Amino acid sequence: MADDDFREQIGDKRSGALRDLIGYLGHHRKWWLGPIVIAIVLLGVLVFLGSTGAAPFIYTLF
């Protein structure tokens, strides 16, 4: 019941991690962090795909 009261007070406004990150970058004018975050995410995707069945197709790119 207390959870419902809390959501009513904040207007039931939900946001995800990506929206929070973009909001932070815009509010604090730290746009230079954007390319760094994108590069880290892409590296993580490559590492993840390297351990799956898609590995032979990724290795042909390099």
Side-chain angles (χ1 to χ4, degrees), residues 34-56:
I36 296 171
V37 170
I38 291 171
I40 291 172
V41 168
L42 288 177
L43 183 64
V45 168
L46 279 176
V47 168
F48 173 75
L49 290 177
S51 63
T52 64

Side-chain angles (χ1 to χ4, degrees), residues 11-34:
D12 203 19
K13 184 178 179 181
R14 296 181 185 190
S15 63
L18 182 62
R19 183 172 291 189
D20 287 342
L21 177 65
I22 291 171
Y24 172 80
L25 295 177
H27 180 71
H28 294 287
R29 304 281 189 230
K30 299 208 181 275
W31 293 111
W32 55 271
L33 284 174

Side-chain angles (χ1 to χ4, degrees), residues 1-10:
M1 180 167 300
D3 190 41
D4 293 333
D5 294 336
F6 178 72
R7 287 208 174 123
E8 287 177 14
Q9 289 179 0
I10 63 170

